[in-house]
Amino acid sequence: MKKLKNILYLIGLYFKVNLASAMEYRSSFLMQAFGMALSNATFVFYWWIAFSQIGGRIGGYDFKDVMFIWALTSSAFGASNILFANMFRITTIIVTGELDTFLLQPKDVLISLLCSRTALSTWGDLLYGFVLMALTHGNDGMVWLMFLLGIVIGGLLMTAISVTAHTFTFYFGDASLIGDIALEFIINFCIYPEGIYRGFVRAMMLSVIPASFIVHIPLKLARSFQPGLLLILLAFAALYCFIAYKFFYHGLKKYESGNLIITRM
Amino acid sequence: MSVIEVRSLNKLYRARVKEEGLGASFRALIKPVYKEVHAVKNISFTVDKGEILAFIGPNGAGKSTTIKMLTGILHPTSGEISVLGFDPVKQRKQLSYHIGTVFGQKSQLWFHLPPVDSFALLGAIYDIDKKTLKKREEELIECFELGDLIKTPVRKLSLGQRIRCEVAASLLHSPDILFLDEPTIGLDVVVKQKIRELILRMNRDQGTTIFLTSHDTGDVEQLCRRAIVIDHGEIILDQPVKKLKYDYLNRKIIAVRFNLEQHLDVPKGVVVEKSGKMGARLSVDTRVCSIDEAMRWIISQGGVADITVEDPPMEEIISTIFTGKNTAE
């Protein structure tokens, strides 16, 4: 419990510094955030056309359901990038020796490295999800509750996937491509109705690339709340993050450092 | 009392080797070939409390690898390390509260923020309470003459100003040992001198032990009382700087440019390394001819347009040490 409290404290500290750093470029911050939200909004139009042409349901989802998974994917991605933007740069941090800075400090190496950067544009992704929810789901309390829970769980799972993929750098060298592919997979699986996936892909979405736990199960819970399913969701997310964390520390023993010139942005 | 004890320390890397060309790249993909690189070979030494030790050597000698093993960044392949009684491999976090580090090439300050914001974050990372942090900040601002720099975004600071802030940041938690890896790299002469003065002051006032790696013979001469020279992962010399100075740092290079054509009849202890019609590069053996005497002689030639005095490069000194060692053997 004390460790969790320390981790949350550290995340809060870095968040404040990152936000202050982002505020140094206020107009860039606003433009990037607005641009990202605008780019996401075009997809709503695409789905609106699809549903008005086909009508009824696609893969078992109606228009509002699709908007829920879109909003959740966008906000979870935004939240993970606001807090843990270095999840995309883990390979670079390992290869260039930037990891040294975190190893020299008395706090958790993985949490420190993940939190020490924020992505400005992803504020747009986070806010976009909220706007989309407000437009399509109004003030339905249970739906909002599951949406908020989904942001936390989804954000953590996306980060854990990225950490796991990039950790292979300790073993093989450059794993940035694996990291990029893993995140692309997860996002692509998240933004389509669950019913269109079958067999092996469905199994992947419930295990290695856990898209179902990020959006589809929270939607199920929002439609009809089941305490057992909620417990499974929480237990899976905790286990997945724990494995990613342990895998990183196992890889860290193989760290060889580097001597490139590093600046902290 | 020893604060650093190193016994029979070794570090081996496995590096992939590949022949030139695309074909070799494909072959390496299917059947990679590895070679072992012995970065640090069986080194042993101790450092006493309050000592300023120079750990010097050319590029790739094993300096940074050693410093990274002492600070817990890298795990040794074999051997024992004790830093302030801690094992850096098993007690990295506990050790980090007692050591400070400055890597010339790596910044711990946020580029877009003023150092004062990074100091606040570092204070929290090192669990320093707000009152102690404030007091410590004030001490360091005074000692390092940071003044307004502390509130200026790091991106707007000069390299010298940034390094002063980096050193101050590394001292926030009052470490017992400060590891400085190439702290003066890329700095001009005046700023180098300033940084050296500050390091000396900190050692004198606070008794901080300094472990310094440098490429710059000036750092060694002016800061350290003892030097360990490492090359190809092995310690080739461990002796007081005074002796090192007499034996190996006894040469200065003077580059002089004249307005008129000169015929140089050099005094004893001065050798012409290279000469042209209007200038020359001279090597001065300071045991035979002092810099003062050499400069007087140059000025007496008349028509001096420009003059610079430099230390010989570290690689040359290492080579001299090797030659001397081999001859003695």
Side-chain angles (χ1 to χ4, degrees), chain A residues 241-253:
Chain A
C241 291
F242 178 76
I243 291 170
Y245 184 84
K246 287 289 174 192
F247 184 48
F248 176 84
Y249 275 93
H250 187 269
L252 187 60
K253 289 180 192 157

Side-chain angles (χ1 to χ4, degrees), chain A residues 179-238:
Chain A
D180 293 346
I181 292 171
L183 265 178
E184 250 177 61
F185 263 124
I186 195 90
I187 288 169
N188 282 328
F189 287 150
C190 279
I191 55 176
Y192 294 101
E194 194 182 16
I196 68 168
Y197 301 108
R198 295 270 182 274
F200 177 71
V201 176
R202 190 79 173 262
M204 290 283 282
M205 288 165 67
L206 286 163
S207 54
V208 186
I209 309 284
S212 291
F213 289 92
I214 296 175
V215 289
H216 303 124
I217 291 177
L219 177 65
K220 261 185 202 153
L221 288 166
R223 282 169 172 173
S224 88
F225 183 73
Q226 303 160 53
L229 190 58
L230 176 66
L231 279 178
I232 291 172
L233 174 64
L234 294 174
F236 179 86

Side-chain angles (χ1 to χ4, degrees), chain B residues 26-284:
Chain B
F26 278 112
R27 280 196 296 278
L29 204 64
I30 298 156
K31 201 180 170 191
V33 180
Y34 293 93
K35 70 164 184 178
E36 281 201 333
V37 179
H38 212 152
V40 172
K41 293 176 195 165
N42 206 30
I43 64 170
S44 301
F45 62 88
T46 58
V47 181
D48 288 339
K49 186 174 163 44
E51 192 174 357
I52 306 185
L53 174 84
F55 198 70
I56 52 177
N59 279 333
K63 304 187 297 287
S64 294
T65 304
T66 305
I67 221 171
K68 283 173 183 174
M69 287 194 280
L70 293 178
T71 51
I73 293 173
L74 292 177
H75 293 192
T77 308
S78 66
E80 287 172 40
I81 307 174
S82 167
V83 180
L84 295 160
F86 295 103
D87 176 344
V89 175
K90 293 178 186 152
Q91 298 166 294
R92 179 181 56 77
K93 276 191 192 173
Q94 293 98 310
L95 174 65
S96 64
Y97 282 105
H98 303 276
I99 59 168
T101 44
V102 176
F103 287 101
Q105 298 130 314
K106 290 186 179 98
S107 178
Q108 52 181 333
L109 304 171
W110 255 251
F111 188 63
H112 295 301
L113 293 178
V116 69
D117 285 341
S118 295
F119 284 11
L121 177 70
L122 289 169
I125 286 173
Y126 284 98
D127 302 321
I128 309 169
D129 65 76
K130 281 187 179 161
K131 203 174 148 194
T132 314
L133 180 66
K134 181 88 188 151
K135 193 168 162 257
R136 186 70 180 149
E137 266 179 19
E138 281 166 9
E139 282 170 15
L140 292 168
I141 288 168
E142 196 204 328
C143 176
F144 286 79
E145 296 164 24
L146 301 179
D148 290 340
L149 301 181
I150 200 86
K151 290 179 182 161
T152 309
V154 171
R155 66 176 186 275
K156 290 185 179 167
L157 299 179
S158 68
L159 182 61
Q161 290 169 334
R162 185 176 72 74
I163 294 289
R164 266 153 66 194
C165 292
E166 291 281 356
V167 180
S170 69
L171 291 168
L172 273 176
H173 57 293
S174 308
D176 299 311
I177 304 175
L178 184 63
F179 290 93
L180 298 162
D181 193 7
E182 308 274 4
T184 58
I185 198 164
L187 300 178
D188 66 45
V189 182
V190 179
V191 181
K192 266 183 192 173
Q193 196 53 36
K194 181 85 199 161
I195 298 281
R196 285 169 191 157
E197 281 167 20
L198 293 169
I199 292 169
L200 275 177
R201 195 170 145 190
M202 195 182 58
N203 167 262
R204 193 183 56 227
D205 296 351
Q206 296 170 25
T208 313
T209 306
I210 313 279
F211 190 99
L212 171 95
T213 76
S214 184
H215 229 75
D216 191 320
T217 43
D219 285 346
V220 181
E221 278 186 86
Q222 293 178 41
L223 285 173
C224 306
R225 287 183 281 277
R226 180 180 149 217
I228 292 177
V229 182
I230 183 169
D231 193 37
H232 293 103
E234 288 178 282
I235 291 179
I236 57 168
L237 204 78
D238 181 352
Q239 61 178 212
V241 168
K242 214 171 166 182
K243 184 156 174 25
L244 186 78
K245 248 177 173 172
Y246 184 79
D247 291 343
Y248 303 106
L249 303 175
N250 47 28
R251 210 164 63 80
K252 294 278 178 191
I253 305 293
I254 300 180
V256 59
R257 199 159 53 80
F258 297 102
N259 289 323
L260 307 162
E261 203 171 316
Q262 294 282 356
H263 170 71
L264 297 173
D265 188 11
V266 293
K268 206 176 168 197
V270 179
V271 175
V272 179
E273 284 195 338
K274 205 172 148 188
S275 71
K277 281 180 185 171
M278 308 284 277
R281 187 178 147 90
L282 309 168
S283 170
V284 182

Side-chain angles (χ1 to χ4, degrees), chain B residues 248 319-329:
Chain B
Y248 303 106
S319 152
T320 315
I321 292 171
F322 257 126
T323 316
K325 208 177 156 195
N326 292 341
T327 313
E329 278 165 8

Side-chain angles (χ1 to χ4, degrees), chain A residues 64-119:
Chain A
K64 275 175 78 173
D65 293 337
V66 173
M67 289 304 102
F68 179 91
I69 59 170
W70 261 87
L72 185 48
T73 306
S74 178
S75 288
F77 180 78
S80 64
N81 273 271
I82 288 166
L83 292 173
F84 313 122
N86 265 342
M87 67 192 224
F88 293 111
R89 295 184 60 249
I90 299 173
T91 293
T92 311
I93 289 170
I94 296 167
V95 171
T96 58
E98 198 179 337
L99 197 58
D100 293 1
T101 311
F102 305 105
L103 281 163
L104 290 165
Q105 293 173 350
K107 294 287 183 257
D108 192 285
V109 176
L110 178 59
I111 305 296
S112 301
L113 92 84
L114 286 173
C115 295
S116 71
R117 195 184 188 97
T118 191

